[in-house]
Amino acid sequence: MCADGMLLVDADGLGASLQDEARRRLAAGPPPLSERERDYQRYILTDLLDDLRGCADPAERVYMVTHMLQRASELVLLVGGHWLGGGKWLSRRLAEADPETHRALSEAAAQAIAGDAKTFADAVAEVLDRCGGPLWDGYAIR
């Protein structure tokens, strides 16, 4: 909002200065994801993927898929150095940063919620592979 908004009043130039700073920060992207943070995200997503593969309850599957869709989208954005978003903005940010992954995850999530989770599990596994691979054995949260 600060970077893209329209200044209505700016008598001393402070507003323009702050807007320029906001634009620079937005363009620079977020700070890089640390290895520790990336590994934690991979671990959580690996655990969720394992749970999904063994899930037989349709109601639980809906919750798991929506949670995994958010986690996988965030991981792609974070590893790629892109800003996150919430709700519709997460979808928009991923669509802008990686349209193919956005399409694959979104379409497969709808199928998974309807009952066929294999394509979604494969799409999430692909995200994990691109971001360092599944992380399970030997990982400890410190």
Side-chain angles (χ1 to χ4, degrees):
M1 183 167 51
C2 293
D4 296 327
M6 179 188 303
L7 290 172
L8 298 177
V9 177
D10 188 18
D12 62 0
L14 179 61
S17 175
L18 291 172
Q19 189 171 49
D20 287 343
E21 175 68 18
R23 287 178 177 157
R24 280 193 298 279
R25 289 183 182 204
L26 185 62
L33 192 64
S34 73
E35 185 177 337
R36 181 179 179 186
E37 292 167 324
R38 188 194 69 212
D39 287 351
Y40 177 73
Q41 296 301 325
R42 288 172 47 216
Y43 172 77
I44 296 297
L45 197 53
T46 300
D47 184 46
L48 289 167
L49 183 56
D50 186 54
D51 286 348
L52 178 66
R53 287 178 172 147
C55 181
D57 183 298
E60 288 178 3
R61 186 176 53 250
V62 170
Y63 283 91
M64 291 177 62
V65 167
T66 56
H67 187 65
M68 290 173 68
L69 177 60
Q70 179 175 343
R71 288 281 191 168
S73 299
E74 289 174 350
L75 182 58
V76 169
L77 290 170
L78 290 169
V79 167
H82 301 281
W83 290 108
L84 299 179
K88 65 184 178 188
W89 282 101
L90 180 59
S91 176
R92 291 174 182 180
R93 296 261 190 231
L94 184 59
E96 181 180 321
D98 190 336
E100 185 176 319
T101 299
H102 177 263
R103 183 194 51 75
L105 286 172
S106 298
E107 291 175 4
Q111 292 173 354
I113 288 170
D116 179 9
K118 184 184 180 336
T119 304
F120 183 69
D122 292 346
V124 171
E126 173 63 27
V127 166
L128 281 168
D129 289 343
R130 289 180 31 212
C131 297
L135 186 57
W136 192 264
D137 292 336
Y139 178 75
I141 297 173
R142 297 178 191 103

